[in-house]
Structure formats: C-alpha cells, structure tokens
Amino acid sequence: MIRVGINGYGTIGKRVADAVSAQPDMSVVGVAKTRPNFEAEQARRRGYDLYPAIEDRLDQFADAGLETAGLVEDLVATADVVVDATPSGIGEQNKALYEEYDTPALFQGGESEDIVDVSFNARSNFDEAADADFVRVVSCNTTGLSRLVAPLEEEFGIEKVRATLVRRGGDPAQSGRGPINDILPNPVSLPSHHGPDVNTIFPDLDIDTLGLKVPATLMHMHSINVTLDSTPTADDVRETLAGESRLLLIDADLDIDGTGALKEYALDMGRPRGDLWENGIWSESITVEGSDLYLFQAIHQESDVVPENVDAIRAVLETSTAEESMATTDEALGLD
Ligand code: NAD
C-alpha cells in the first residue's frame, strides 16, 4: 500500500483524501491542518489522523477535543508521498520540509511551475512524472483544457485553440470572494495565464485564452474554438470525446441548461459533495464549421483535479501505467 500524507485539508485536500482512501493500492496516513475547524472535526470523523501544521496551536486542537497524532513533520517523515493542497504560495514554503525528509510531493495549480520538475495531467503526460521529486497537478481550468486537447490532437490534429474562460468568482464557502454584481474581464490584458499554463503540458500547442470572472460559485464555463488540422463531422468529434472517461457528454435529453442543473445532476448521481470529476461538455454545442470546432464545457473547479492527484501519486512512484492508473482511479471513484 502506498502511504499518502495530505498537507492542507481544505477544498482540494479533503476531496483528495477521500479519493485516495477509496483506492485499492493506497491509504491516507494522515492529514495536516493549521486550525481545528469544521474540516478538522470531519477529518477525525472520517478516521484520518490529524497532524497540526503549527506547533504553537497544538493546544487549540486539544481544547477542541481533537486528538492529534504528531506534527506535520512526522506526517512527512511517515508518508511515501505528500499531496500538498495548501493555499497558493504556501506549497512553495513547504518544499524545504519535503526535501528534508526526502519525500516526493505533489503541489496544486496555485503554485508556480518553477518549483517543480514537471506539470501533470494524467491523460496528457503521465510518464513525464516518473520518479520526479516535485510535481504540480495543474489547475482546474488547465486540467479541463488538457483533457480536451489530448484526444483532439491525437485524432484530428490541432492548428490553434482559442478559449474564453468564464470563471466562478469563488468557491461556495469562500464568503469573501467576488464579484457579487459585476462581470470582470480578468485579467483585462491578453492572454490570461491559462494558455501559457496549458503549454506546460503541451509545449508546442498554439493556444490563446481570455478570462472573465462572474458572480457564480458552482463551476467555470469554457467557450471553446479549436481550429483542427482536419475536417471531421460533429458526430466524429462526439464519438472521439465520448471515448474519454473524464469527459462527460451531456445529452440534450437530460435537459441540463447550465451549471446549476449540472451540479444537481452530480448530486442526484450520488457523487460525494456533488462533485463532477469530469469536464461537462454539452453534446449539442459540439459544432464543426470547416475545420473549426466549437463547444461549451463546464469545469467543476473543486473536484476535476482530484482523480489527477490520485494518478500523479502512481506516476511519481512508478507503480502503474497511465491507462491502468486512470482505470483504477475511475473504477474506485465510480466514474464511468
Ligand atoms: P483551501 O483554502 O480551501 O484549503 C487550503 C487548506 O490548507 C486550508 O484548510 C488551510 O487551513 C490549510 N493551510 C493553510 N496553510 C497551511 C500550512 N502552512 N500547512 C498546512 N495547511 C495549511 O484551498 P484550496 O481551494 O483547496 O486550494 C489549494 C490549492 O489547490 C491551491 O494551490 C489552489 O490554487 C489549488 N486549486 C484550487 C481549486 C479550487 O477551485 N478551490 C481548484 C484547483 C486547484
């Protein structure tokens, strides 16, 4: 069994912990928390050992009635690999700790590509993470774009990608984020950072991205135009995309008109926390004009990187091929 430590048990960390627990070949050795908040309480209820990240706060955990198993250093020393899901920029500060214990670490999309050996997307470059010390599982938006680009590139060839990213203002629990009544070009200058970030996975891809922020919390929405090297029909594209386990084609019969209904669908499917691990692509939106492909896809920012983190663990430790790992992850999560 691969022993996985989770440092940072928030939106991403708690989901990765549950996904790791569900796998047949790995277990969670513990989670590191800075504060004994509701997530710490839930971590204990789920049976995860708690490792405070700040020694001075040990008393706060005791006062809250939460048993601890050691400090974050003990967790890093015990784990075969650490998933660092701390807020953007904190991962970089934690790097020295992982180096000290010679424990490989996976960072998240908020960290700079400069602090890692490789940026990772399971479908696109699994093998490049083999034996790496530091890997960055790219952001929710870059993951969503990479999952789409990989099969299109293989099947039809890509001349250029143009993507407009309509991004949620914050996650549902982020009460301080916005806008609350506005539509922001964000960033106002082009390109947004997402295109260059996709280039960390596909260095030769010609891609321009534009970003906006809107008063929504449920998901991001991408408006996509890909100029292909060939002229497939829309049905050819649908068939190719339907063959990808992490792309969900939303059939018109489902009558899902937006991210609200899509989130409800995920809840009705019994997905934990209403998570949609796949890109949600509106099948009707897939349109081809000559060599230009158009579509809309929804990206559930809180969860699409979760299966990718699980795969990155196997990739770094070289315990599996890409296909085997993705199949194992998907089956354990119930993603089919
Ligand atoms: P979050 O704020 O929800 O969770 C971070 C957790 O880390 C919190 O529990 C916080 O208390 C804890 N923490 C803070 N400092 C710590 C420290 N020094 N040691 C240990 N724990 C510490 O953040 P998040 O949304 O889960 O984001 C984590 C990373 O994932 C970021 O790099 C972010 O860019 C990336 N990411 C976020 C999303 C998203 O939509 N939320 C999507 C993809 C990637």
Side-chain angles (χ1 to χ4, degrees):
M1 293 288 267
I2 304 169
R3 292 166 302 166
V4 182
I6 311 284
N7 191 10
Y9 189 78
T11 304
I12 301 297
K14 63 189 175 187
R15 287 172 166 82
V16 172
D18 290 352
V20 164
S21 287
Q23 305 301 313
D25 56 343
M26 50 184 85
S27 65
V28 175
V29 285
V31 306
K33 278 288 302 168
T34 43
R35 291 176 297 137
N37 68 353
F38 73 93
E39 285 160 328
E41 184 237 23
Q42 279 298 310
R44 283 302 300 136
R45 281 188 189 274
R46 284 166 197 253
Y48 301 137
D49 282 344
L50 271 182
Y51 292 81
I54 301 173
E55 191 170 3
D56 294 350
R57 295 194 188 163
L58 264 174
D59 288 351
Q60 292 182 19
F61 284 81
D63 292 348
L66 293 175
E67 188 188 344
T68 54
L71 289 170
V72 65
E73 289 78 7
D74 303 310
L75 176 64
V76 174
T78 314
D80 297 322
V81 57
V82 170
V83 177
D84 185 304
T86 58
S88 303
I90 305 287
E92 182 170 3
Q93 295 172 24
N94 288 335
K95 192 175 166 183
L97 176 65
Y98 308 134
E99 280 168 338
E100 187 183 335
Y101 290 95
D102 205 15
T103 306
L106 313 181
F107 295 105
Q108 306 305 309
E111 301 301 328
S112 161
E113 62 165 302
D114 300 335
I115 70 162
V116 297
D117 306 309
V118 60
S119 294
F120 180 86
N121 172 252
R123 175 63 176 79
S124 312
N125 69 343
F126 185 98
D127 293 338
E128 288 174 29
D131 203 27
D133 293 324
F134 297 109
V135 168
R136 183 178 69 117
V137 176
V138 290
S139 74
C140 46
N141 282 309
T142 304
T143 295
L145 289 168
S146 299
R147 284 176 179 169
L148 181 66
V149 162
L152 291 177
E153 173 74 41
E154 285 165 20
E155 198 61 30
F156 309 115
I158 291 180
E159 188 182 315
K160 186 170 181 78
V161 178
R162 296 173 181 87
T164 301
L165 280 54
V166 180
R167 292 143 67 215
R168 57 85 176 106
D171 294 338
Q174 289 178 312
S175 53
R177 297 267 294 245
I180 57 171
N181 181 25
D182 210 338
I183 301 170
L184 308 179
N186 182 278
V188 68
S189 54
L190 274 59
S192 71
H193 73 271
H194 306 92
D197 205 31
V198 173
N199 285 134
T200 67
I201 305 285
F202 299 93
D204 300 327
L205 185 72
D206 187 358
I207 177 167
D208 285 341
T209 52
L210 294 81
L212 298 99
K213 269 193 188 179
V214 297
T217 63
L218 298 177
M219 296 189 192
H220 303 297
M221 182 80 79
H222 295 175
S223 169
I224 303 278
N225 165 219
V226 183
T227 305
L228 301 165
D229 286 335
S230 52
T231 54
T233 65
D235 277 341
D236 293 337
V237 174
R238 276 188 200 101
E239 198 181 317
T240 295
L241 301 186
E244 299 286 318
S245 68
R246 295 182 191 171
L247 301 181
L248 175 72
L249 290 199
I250 303 166
D251 199 85
D253 296 339
L254 294 174
D255 199 17
I256 291 174
D257 64 353
T259 58
L262 188 53
K263 182 79 176 161
E264 194 72 9
Y265 184 51
L267 285 160
D268 287 352
M269 282 194 284
R271 292 289 181 83
R273 302 180 174 95
D275 285 348
L276 191 76
W277 296 301
E278 313 94 319
N279 299 17
I281 299 177
W282 273 268
S283 188
E284 280 174 290
S285 74
I286 296 173
T287 303
V288 182
E289 302 279 352
S291 59
D292 272 322
L293 163 68
Y294 300 90
L295 60 84
F296 290 120
Q297 66 173 4
I299 302 297
H300 184 218
Q301 75 280 358
E302 296 170 289
S303 71
D304 75 328
V305 299
V306 170
E308 309 298 326
N309 272 275
V310 173
D311 292 326
I313 291 168
R314 298 194 188 95
V316 166
L317 300 179
E318 299 179 90
T319 61
S320 185
T321 64
E323 291 72 24
E324 284 167 2
S325 178
M326 289 179 72
T328 304
T329 305
D330 293 351
E331 193 184 338
L333 292 178
L335 195 165
D336 42 35

